[in-house]
Amino acid sequence: MKFAYRFSNLLGTVYRCGNLNFTCDGNSVISPVGNRVTVFDLKNNKSSTLPLATRYNVKCVGLSPDGRLAIIVDEGGDALLVSLVCRSVLHHFHFKGSVHSVSFSPDGRKFVVTKGNIAQMYHAPGRKREFNAFVLDKTYFGPYDETTCIDWTDDSRCFAVGSKDTSTWVFGAERWDNLIYYALGGHKDAIVACFFESGSLDLYTISQGGALCVWQCDTSPEGLRPKAPTGWKADLLQGEEEEEEEREEETTVRGKTAPAPEEQQGKVKYSRLAKYFFNKEGDFNNLTAAAFHKKTHLLVTGFASGIFHLHELPEFNLIHSLSISDQRVASIAVNGSGDWIAFGCAGLGQLLVWEWQSESYVLKQQGHFNSMVSLAYSPDGQYIVTGGDDGKVKVWNTLSGFCFVTFTEHSSGVTGVTFTATGYVIVTSSMDGTVRAFDLHRYRNFRTFTSPRPTQFSCVAVDCSGEVVSAGAQDSFGVFIWSMQTGRLLDVLSGHEGPISSLCFSPVKSVLASASWDRTVRLWDMADSWRTTETLGLTSDALAVTFRPDGAELAVATLNSQITFWDPENAVQTGSIEGRHDLKTGRKELDKVTAKHSAKGKAFTALCYSADGQSVLAGGMSKFVCIYHVKEQILRKKFEISRNLSLDAMEEFLNRRKMTEFGNLALIDQDAGAEDGVAIPLPGVKKGDMSSRHLKPEIRVTSLRFSPTGRCWAATTTEGLLVYSLDAQMLFDPFELDTDVTPARIRAAVRQQDLTRAILMAFRLNERTLLQEVLESVPWDEVEVVSSSLPELYVEKVLEFLASSFEVSRHLEFYLIWTQKLLLVHGQKLKSRAGKVLPAVQFLQKSIQRHLDGVSKLCDWNRYNIQYALAVSEQRGIKRPSEPLGSEEEADASDDDDTLHPLGEGQEDGDRQLV
């Protein structure tokens, strides 16, 4: 098995901080999630994370007008120039300071960033290759405090910058004679947003206190006069000092709040037409975000209480208002047509897309408020269930990346989740003292298992039949057994002398393995009245236990950073792996000891086998996930799950710049309460508590699972739910290759109708395009003959190729014929090697099931349309019985056509609302 895995998607978190953007077509939302960026395709109901990461959390994202380029800036001032077409990084740049916002000009030739109390204008990178993609054009001075927002005029001649000092500045993007800068006041609080009117220099400014000022300009954009050339262009005989001063004037604009009267003569002037207030009744607190759609004059404002308003400007008519969250609205974006509005709420990690005309949700997603603790794959690999400290259980679709159901019955943190063998029941354990079973058909909690005395459950497991549910207790040291059918408590297994840390049922036998802090792993036989068959003695506390997919081996992770392997039949240790040096934990900002010495207390807390059982995946209190080869007991690959320095324990050594004679600067909350104004934090707060002003979460891996298909694996981390998939495009993996196997000889065998030999040679070369060409050259009526002549060794490879082809190919029936014939001819032989071929068969099942769901949905929709058309035609026939038959049929046909088109559009919107 080749471990060419790469990061493919980020689930579990949809929005963290930063600004939202719509793509040019208005069908996708670009959302910053930590130090990554996720694109949510609202039309096709999919989400994908760009394969890039910044050093810190993303602060702002600027999108070019043509939608091809994006500038992503993090909290440290590092910027990435990203191509959204090829999804790759084109250029790195450092702005040497914290950037608050970035905005491209409408013509795409320049962009402006607000940094500190200045605004800098750069030449935007073009489509040609350039030595330096970011070239500074001008620096604009004027505000006394931090700049907060930017907006451009439609013709890219001017831009406005808002500041925390309550002022708004209008600057000329070019050297205009009558507009170099203009300062606007009129507010008593920080400016949140400023917007130009369409085709005009008229301006709207909005402050944090809920005030809106309407400014009218006495000059149209066409009335701006270019400045006449001066300096060395006008008089070549001027001195060097005057030349340097002129060049400085060309690259620097220094604004004054109160310029001299002679400087204002002949210049552009602004006058305030009106001033409106959002919080007249006092129901709303600070205004936190705003967006303006120039074509429809639609103003959207969000408040700290989670309420948003829609107003029509310039009359300031309220269209409607709605409460969408309990936390502050951090970012708002409007798509190009003005129909959809995106809201981001950083406090709860919510992302909402609202269609204001129909007053309905297009997208409504929310991640786990606190960190995710556990995850599990469904047996077919289509779904992932996650449990978090917030007490919620969420089910995610691996194909779309969206959460489609959330269960909130638990009143405390969820500690374990698992699927039953059917894949339609989820069983969860919680610290609230209950174990619950959820039905994915009706989306309800149909069983609740409790203990006679209140206890906190730390883990859960279900046997292969789905009839027996077990949970480990953290305080009473017992293992509780219930019946799924009746919900009754069957037994309480006692014997452990410490909290139960992990449970796992054998995939093939009725044996339960329980790991405990008492340095033992006990094996319980369900068929023999839950008698303890074996007790495995360990050298340290057991943290995780898991069975190999064939049930012939047991892996245990202990507190001393070791992974030990056991034979469950004979209770004999077969091997061990020392993982202390592979973890490489980082040093937290407030640690008194180095990372090398603090690693003694770190260990693997999550463990799982690969689908083929040859490797084991391990992770813990570190930013690394390790894959070990079980037989050779060596490290095969190490994955760095995050490079986000906004998280704690990321670096091995402390930054000496933060060390002073009085202590570490990390002890000071420099930015605390800057925006939210939350009270002083409680001492000892480690998680995202509402009482904490300053929170720097620690990087860790809480759970790991391999997909049953063997194509990907997932990890719940501080960053979210990370999914790593096999990179088939970058992998060249020939099989029994020799010099006689070439593409030319393979095509020659196809022309000679020696199809079996051509297929064998193509699989030995193992090039996907060539494999597809050879398989599709087989006539459909000869598939059974060719498949029966394939050697047993190649059948599994053909099945894997068919499973992957179902995801991209349109030849559905042809590949279904191949699958049917292969399974009918080689079914008995495959059954004898069930353990080895199971991942390939499950991958095949997942691909076929996806097509089944899509086709059945389409058929149901077509059947509904036909029934509706027949009902309409019958109704028309009853109303007009006297009309001739021909005219009636024609009228019905035309009416049906006219009726069906808007229905199709409405159904498409309905599908999007169900996300």
Side-chain angles (χ1 to χ4, degrees):
M1 185 176 181
K2 301 292 183 181
F3 285 92
Y5 288 94
R6 61 177 176 86
F7 173 79
S8 63
N9 208 356
L10 171 64
L11 309 180
T13 310
V14 292
Y15 176 76
R16 283 274 176 84
C17 59
N19 63 311
L20 300 172
N21 287 274
F22 273 99
T23 54
C24 293
D25 57 4
N27 296 332
S28 300
V29 179
I30 299 177
S31 172
V33 184
N35 67 332
R36 299 182 184 272
V37 175
T38 303
V39 181
F40 296 92
D41 189 346
L42 305 177
K43 281 283 187 181
N44 300 317
N45 192 26
K46 284 188 177 181
S47 70
S48 61
T49 304
L50 299 180
L52 52 93
T54 56
R55 295 178 71 241
Y56 293 90
N57 286 335
V58 175
K59 186 73 174 289
C60 53
V61 179
L63 202 62
S64 65
D66 58 1
R68 293 174 175 267
L69 298 176
I71 297 177
I72 302 172
V73 188
D74 64 14
E75 295 173 346
D78 289 317
L80 300 178
L81 177 64
V82 179
S83 170
L84 296 179
V85 179
C86 59
R87 301 164 63 90
S88 60
V89 178
L90 304 179
H91 185 66
H92 295 260
F93 190 78
H94 186 58
F95 284 111
K96 299 179 181 178
S98 179
V99 174
H100 194 280
S101 58
V102 56
S103 177
F104 275 88
S105 62
D107 59 6
R109 297 173 58 188
K110 296 178 181 179
F111 68 89
V112 172
V113 297
T114 56
K115 181 183 69 172
N117 64 338
I118 64 172
Q120 292 181 327
M121 184 168 65
Y122 288 82
H123 290 286
R127 298 186 182 181
K128 298 180 181 179
R129 290 188 177 183
E130 297 170 330
F131 177 73
N132 186 7
F134 294 172
V135 178
L136 180 63
D137 185 16
K138 288 186 182 68
T139 302
Y140 297 87
F141 295 86
Y144 294 105
D145 206 342
E146 290 185 16
T147 49
T148 57
C149 54
I150 311 167
D151 191 57
W152 285 84
T153 55
D154 290 340
D155 54 7
S156 304
R157 296 187 178 191
C158 305
F159 65 91
V161 174
S163 172
K164 288 185 178 180
D165 64 0
T166 74
S167 66
T168 305
W169 293 74
V170 181
F171 294 107
E174 300 176 18
R175 293 179 59 81
W176 304 114
D177 186 34
N178 53 345
L179 178 57
I180 302 175
Y181 62 88
Y182 199 99
L184 300 172
H187 289 282
K188 297 181 180 179
D189 215 329
I191 303 298
V192 174
C194 55
F195 306 106
F196 279 104
E197 185 61 79
S198 178
S200 171
L201 292 179
D202 296 346
L203 193 66
Y204 303 104
T205 57
I206 304 171
S207 67
Q208 190 173 350
L212 167 68
C213 289
V214 183
W215 303 91
Q216 185 181 28
C217 182
D218 62 353
T219 308
S220 64
E222 293 76 14
L224 297 176
R225 302 186 303 270
K227 193 172 184 179
T230 57
W232 61 275
K233 294 181 180 179
D235 189 2
L236 297 176
L237 300 178
Q238 287 190 1
E240 294 181 359
E241 295 180 0
E242 295 180 358
E243 285 186 14
E244 291 178 359
E245 291 177 1
E246 184 65 28
R247 288 173 184 170
E248 184 181 354
E249 289 180 4
E250 290 183 358
T251 59
T252 305
V253 176
R254 298 185 180 274
K256 301 177 183 178
T257 54
E262 57 270 13
E263 294 181 9
Q264 298 180 8
Q265 293 180 0
K267 304 292 185 181
V268 169
K269 291 184 180 179
Y270 277 89
S271 59
R272 192 176 74 186
L273 287 183
K275 187 173 184 179
Y276 304 102
F277 295 93
F278 291 91
N279 53 351
K280 287 183 180 179
E281 300 176 0
D283 294 335
F284 314 109
N285 42 12
N286 290 345
L287 190 148
T288 55
F292 180 62
H293 192 258
K294 296 183 179 181
K295 294 180 181 178
T296 58
H297 303 280
L298 184 71
L299 176 67
V300 190
T301 51
F303 295 84
S305 58
I307 296 175
F308 79 90
H309 284 183
L310 263 69
H311 285 88
E312 185 182 7
L313 295 182
E315 291 82 8
F316 199 66
N317 297 326
L318 179 65
I319 298 174
H320 73 240
S321 63
L322 187 70
S323 176
I324 56 174
S325 177
D326 297 332
Q327 300 293 315
R328 63 188 291 267
V329 179
S331 179
I332 301 176
V334 185
N335 72 338
S337 63
D339 296 329
W340 293 348
I341 306 170
F343 300 95
C345 302
L348 295 176
Q350 291 176 312
L351 177 63
L352 312 169
V353 179
W354 174 261
E355 189 170 26
W356 66 274
Q357 291 178 339
S358 64
E359 298 188 7
S360 59
Y361 285 109
V362 178
L363 174 70
K364 190 176 182 181
Q365 291 284 295
Q366 179 180 349
H368 288 279
F369 172 60
N370 284 333
S371 58
M372 284 181 284
V373 176
S374 56
L375 82 124
Y377 267 100
S378 62
D380 58 0
Q382 286 198 47
Y383 307 122
I384 297 177
V385 58
T386 58
D389 283 335
D390 55 358
K392 293 181 180 178
V393 178
K394 290 179 174 288
V395 188
W396 307 82
N397 190 319
T398 57
L399 298 174
S400 67
F402 286 114
C403 170
F404 63 91
V405 62
T406 301
F407 300 108
T408 58
E409 279 78 5
H410 283 296
S411 59
S412 187
V414 178
T415 56
V417 293
T418 185
F419 273 94
T420 60
T422 60
Y424 297 112
V425 176
I426 297 171
V427 183
T428 62
S429 61
S430 173
M431 300 293 281
D432 63 2
T434 63
V435 174
R436 297 178 184 268
F438 300 95
D439 182 9
L440 285 185
H441 282 305
R442 298 176 180 84
Y443 300 133
R444 63 187 180 94
N445 174 209
F446 70 95
R447 284 283 186 274
T448 301
F449 309 101
T450 58
S451 57
R453 295 181 179 180
T455 185
Q456 293 180 324
F457 295 114
S458 57
C459 50
V460 68
V462 181
D463 74 330
C464 54
S465 65
E467 298 296 329
V468 178
V469 179
S470 66
Q474 191 169 353
D475 42 10
S476 63
F477 310 156
V479 179
F480 294 80
I481 308 295
W482 295 275
S483 169
M484 179 72 81
Q485 290 288 339
T486 62
R488 294 177 56 188
L489 180 66
L490 300 179
D491 202 351
V492 180
L493 309 180
S494 58
H496 282 294
E497 299 175 358
I500 311 298
S501 57
S502 180
L503 292 174
C504 185
F505 271 99
S506 173
V508 294
K509 294 183 178 180
S510 56
V511 174
L512 173 66
S514 60
S516 172
W517 290 6
D518 62 0
R519 301 190 178 188
T520 62
V521 171
R522 292 178 179 265
L523 301 179
W524 313 83
D525 192 354
M526 183 172 63
D528 193 10
S529 302
W530 297 106
R531 186 176 58 85
T532 306
T533 57
E534 298 291 348
T535 301
L536 311 180
L538 306 173
T539 57
S540 185
D541 298 359
L543 302 180
V545 62
T546 182
F547 274 98
R548 203 166 68 182
D550 59 359
E553 191 175 67
L554 189 71
V556 183
T558 54
L559 191 61
N560 58 358
S561 305
Q562 282 189 349
I563 302 174
T564 55
F565 301 97
W566 299 78
D567 179 6
E569 286 289 335
N570 305 314
V572 177
Q573 182 175 343
T574 58
S576 66
I577 294 175
E578 178 66 46
R580 186 188 310 275
H581 302 291
D582 300 326
L583 269 175
K584 284 191 176 179
T585 55
R587 182 173 180 178
K588 293 191 286 187
E589 286 186 341
L590 303 180
D591 278 352
K592 304 299 182 183
V593 295
T594 61
K596 183 178 179 181
H597 291 87
S598 66
K600 291 182 178 179
K602 305 296 175 66
F604 294 118
T605 57
L607 204 63
C608 77
Y609 274 95
S610 61
D612 58 1
Q614 296 181 8
S615 305
V616 67
L617 201 62
M621 303 281 287
S622 168
K623 63 179 179 179
F624 293 106
V625 172
C626 304
I627 293 186
Y628 294 97
H629 193 283
V630 176
K631 190 175 181 180
E632 303 292 337
Q633 297 179 8
I634 58 173
L635 179 68
R636 301 186 70 166
K637 191 171 179 63
K638 185 192 293 186
F639 295 93
E640 187 177 10
I641 60 171
S642 178
R643 297 180 181 179
N644 189 1
L645 298 181
S646 296
L647 302 176
D648 209 356
M650 285 296 297
E651 296 183 290
E652 188 176 355
F653 304 100
L654 288 182
N655 189 351
R656 292 187 179 273
R657 295 177 182 176
K658 294 185 178 180
M659 302 302 296
T660 66
E661 57 180 326
F662 303 105
N664 195 341
L665 289 178
L667 292 168
I668 304 173
D669 292 349
Q670 295 180 350
D671 299 328
E675 296 181 357
D676 300 338
V678 187
I680 299 174
L682 297 176
V685 172
K686 294 294 184 183
K687 297 179 180 178
D689 195 283
M690 295 299 294
S691 62
S692 175
R693 290 188 300 176
H694 184 71
L695 171 70
K696 194 168 184 181
E698 182 182 352
I699 184 68
R700 64 177 66 186
V701 179
T702 54
S703 183
L704 289 167
R705 287 294 181 271
F706 239 101
S707 171
T709 63
R711 308 285 297 180
C712 54
W713 57 271
T716 53
T717 68
T718 313
E719 288 274 67
L721 176 59
L722 305 180
V723 180
Y724 286 77
S725 301
L726 264 179
D727 189 1
Q729 297 176 353
M730 304 296 293
L731 182 65
F732 176 64
D733 185 20
F735 176 69
E736 296 182 355
L737 187 64
D738 57 25
T739 56
D740 295 335
V741 180
T742 62
R745 295 199 176 190
I746 294 172
R747 292 188 175 95
V750 172
R751 288 193 297 270
Q752 296 169 8
Q753 292 298 307
D754 193 354
L755 299 176
T756 303
R757 188 166 69 91
I759 291 174
L760 298 182
M761 291 171 66
F763 273 99
R764 289 170 69 181
L765 189 61
N766 206 6
E767 281 192 6
R768 179 170 183 82
T769 55
L770 194 60
L771 278 169
Q772 183 177 352
E773 178 184 343
V774 172
L775 277 180
E776 292 180 359
S777 64
V778 179
W780 68 270
D781 52 352
E782 297 183 17
V783 170
E784 185 174 6
V785 178
V786 175
S787 60
S788 62
S789 61
L790 288 176
E792 185 180 348
L793 188 62
Y794 287 84
V795 174
E796 182 183 351
K797 294 184 176 295
V798 178
L799 288 176
E800 288 182 358
F801 177 78
L802 291 175
S804 60
S805 298
F806 273 118
E807 296 185 346
V808 294
S809 177
R810 296 182 178 180
H811 305 299
L812 182 59
E813 185 180 3
F814 179 76
Y815 284 117
L816 282 174
I817 293 173
W818 262 104
T819 306
Q820 183 187 24
K821 301 303 180 185
L822 276 174
L823 294 178
L824 285 175
V825 174
H826 300 276
Q828 292 299 327
K829 296 179 181 178
L830 292 175
K831 195 173 181 180
S832 62
R833 297 188 298 119
K836 189 174 182 181
V837 301
L838 185 60
V841 175
Q842 287 178 329
F843 184 33
L844 188 65
Q845 179 189 359
K846 175 186 175 182
S847 302
I848 296 176
Q849 185 67 37
R850 183 172 67 89
H851 280 289
L852 174 63
D853 295 341
V855 172
S856 60
K857 183 179 179 181
L858 182 63
C859 292
D860 291 342
W861 172 235
N862 289 338
R863 186 173 60 181
Y864 168 75
N865 276 341
I866 293 171
Q867 291 175 353
Y868 180 80
L870 291 174
V872 170
S873 62
E874 291 176 0
Q875 187 178 10
R876 295 292 176 88
I878 293 172
K879 284 184 177 180
R880 294 176 294 180
S882 60
E883 292 184 9
L885 182 61
S887 62
E888 184 180 348
E889 290 177 351
E890 292 173 2
D892 288 344
S894 62
D895 288 337
D896 292 346
D897 291 340
D898 294 339
T899 309
L900 283 176
H901 289 300
L903 261 179
E905 295 171 2
Q907 178 66 20
E908 192 176 3
D909 289 343
D911 291 342
R912 290 197 302 270
Q913 293 161 22
L914 289 175
V915 173

